[in-house]
Amino acid sequence: MRQTLVVGNWKLNGSLDSIKQLISGITAGEADTGNAQIGVCPPFVYIPLVANLLADSKVAWGSQDIADQESGAFTGEVSGAMLNDFGCTYAIVGHSERRSIYGEDDDFTARKFAAARKAGLTPILCVGESLEEREQGITEDVVSRQLDAVIKLEGIAGIGEGVIAYEPVWAIGTGKTASPEMAQEVHAFIRGKLAGLDQSVADKVQILYGGSVKSSNAAGLFDAMEDIDGGLIGGASLDADEFLSICKVGA
Ligand code: PEP
């Protein structure tokens, strides 16, 4: 039985004050979230603060990105070892905003996935199609290609050490959620693809759904759908009560 995992991706949001308030709201209500695994991914600079504030909590933390390199002349980058120094559990890689705005391709994303694993972090690999790709009927080809880049570099066992987040690009931050059935179809495709290589990996890997998840639609996605093991949550993770209500779905 896979545990439900809910991870908040705070993106480029927050301040010292707002993050203190958000964490205090989350920790105040975390007791009601049962067995759900929970994580939050703040902007890099706030990770030490969040690590301190969550020291006695079950809520884990992670980064929104990671360098593909370990050290050296790579201005602006943050390595896996640095994230490890601050107790990170997760590192998101290949978020569609990194892919589309910053031009990060499949191979670069795969190297980031490898860097996270090498540092002992759990990479959360984001995959998903654009609206145009869905309309062209190539959703599975796109998702397959994104997964294959990681499988080629890290092997099937390697990808199995991470978490996969299916995030249709057209549903991120738009208020448009894929219907539970649409999401389940792609999740089942992903799990089936992994099963074709190694059934035990397919059985254990957590596949999250992301794209305008809210407390009002979370149950239909994670509770009702066999292959949806939780969510990667953007906007709704910035409100403690809303985020906790989503986490409670997995309690
Ligand atoms: C995300 O950023 O990964 C995301 C799913 O955002 P939102 O929930 O705001 O659509």
Side-chain angles (χ1 to χ4, degrees):
M1 195 50 194
R2 292 176 299 272
Q3 234 177 314
T4 300
L5 170 64
V6 179
V7 178
N9 171 17
W10 294 353
K11 310 194 188 192
L12 184 56
N13 293 296
S15 64
L16 266 183
D17 283 347
S18 74
I19 286 175
K20 282 181 193 161
Q21 269 184 33
L22 180 53
I23 293 288
S24 130
I26 293 172
T27 50
E30 68 172 285
D32 297 332
T33 60
N35 284 332
Q37 289 180 321
I38 307 174
V40 293
C41 296
F44 283 126
V45 290
Y46 295 116
I47 287 176
L49 169 73
V50 167
N52 270 326
L53 296 173
L54 288 178
D56 297 322
S57 156
K58 77 160 188 175
V59 178
W61 56 94
S63 62
Q64 300 173 18
D65 191 16
I66 182 172
D68 65 325
Q69 304 289 330
E70 288 181 38
S71 65
F74 301 101
T75 301
E77 294 294 299
V78 176
S79 74
M82 293 171 186
L83 297 170
N84 229 341
D85 275 346
F86 290 93
C88 286
T89 297
Y90 300 106
I92 298 174
V93 301
H95 190 279
S96 66
E97 287 149 17
R98 300 296 322 168
R99 292 179 190 264
S100 67
I101 304 171
Y102 299 101
E104 299 187 4
D105 64 14
D106 295 336
D107 290 339
F108 191 44
T109 298
R111 290 203 300 278
K112 290 185 173 204
F113 186 103
R117 275 191 68 226
K118 194 161 182 205
L121 306 170
T122 300
I124 300 177
L125 170 68
C126 300
V127 297
E129 81 289 2
S130 65
L131 184 57
E132 205 184 3
E133 288 163 339
R134 175 159 281 267
E135 284 170 354
Q136 284 169 17
I138 57 168
T139 296
E140 292 184 358
D141 298 336
V142 171
V143 168
S144 226
R145 193 199 70 219
Q146 292 168 333
L147 294 170
D148 281 341
V150 174
I151 295 168
K152 188 169 146 214
L153 191 65
E154 290 283 87
I156 181 66
I159 200 168
E161 296 295 317
V163 169
I164 296 171
Y166 168 58
E167 300 206 302
V169 179
W170 48 271
I172 297 178
T174 58
K176 289 183 194 154
T177 321
S179 69
E181 292 74 19
M182 272 161 95
Q184 165 61 25
E185 201 178 317
V186 182
H187 281 238
F189 167 74
I190 294 171
R191 206 176 299 285
K193 178 178 168 76
L194 300 179
L197 297 167
D198 186 327
Q199 186 64 50
S200 64
V201 166
D203 289 342
K204 80 164 185 190
V205 78
Q206 289 166 307
I207 309 179
L208 312 184
Y209 170 78
S212 300
V213 176
K214 305 181 269 298
S215 57
S216 56
N217 58 23
L221 290 157
F222 331 153
D223 261 3
M225 295 293 147
E226 191 184 338
D227 291 300
I228 305 182
D229 305 315
L232 183 56
I233 319 296
S237 69
L238 297 170
D239 178 308
D241 290 339
E242 181 66 7
F243 184 60
L244 285 167
S245 299
I246 296 169
C247 296
K248 280 180 204 159
V249 170

